[in-house]
Amino acid sequence: MRQSSIRVALCLALAIAAMTAAHAADTPGADALAQPQQAQDSSLQAFIRANPDCLEFTDQCSHCAVVNGIAECSTAEIACIKRENQCTRRAGK
């Protein structure tokens, strides 16, 4: 009886280890997740440089405010169609 419970426990442990390894293989690594964010950051910085008087802008998915030369953006809305950034508020206007 004791041997069969050890075998069952061993089989369960191996099954859990295999599921964990399979799940980890499906999860994208940090590098894969960082690349889209880096591209988005550079496009935001390019927009800010091209529009130095723009204080707020949107891409129809998220809304951003420029604070000390850095864009602080809301979380993107669900089911939106991303467009080019458009300035919604300029300095002095």
Side-chain angles (χ1 to χ4, degrees):
M1 179 74 171
R2 183 176 171 167
Q3 276 186 330
S4 62
S5 15
I6 291 174
R7 285 182 185 164
V8 169
L10 181 60
C11 287
L12 285 174
L14 289 173
I16 290 171
M19 288 188 312
T20 303
H23 178 68
D26 291 341
T27 305
D31 292 340
L33 295 175
Q35 287 176 343
Q37 182 64 38
Q38 289 171 349
Q40 181 181 7
D41 288 347
S42 65
S43 69
L44 290 177
Q45 291 303 320
F47 179 80
I48 292 169
R49 280 192 304 276
N51 299 279
D53 63 334
C54 185
L55 299 176
E56 295 178 0
F57 60 94
T58 184
D59 62 2
Q60 303 300 319
C61 290
S62 58
H63 303 279
C64 304
V66 180
V67 178
N68 296 326
I70 298 173
E72 294 184 4
C73 300
S74 66
T75 304
E77 297 175 15
I78 296 173
C80 67
I81 299 172
K82 190 170 183 169
R83 298 187 180 150
E84 287 187 39
N85 288 318
Q86 292 181 323
C87 189
T88 56
R89 192 177 92 165
R90 294 194 182 275
K93 291 186 180 181

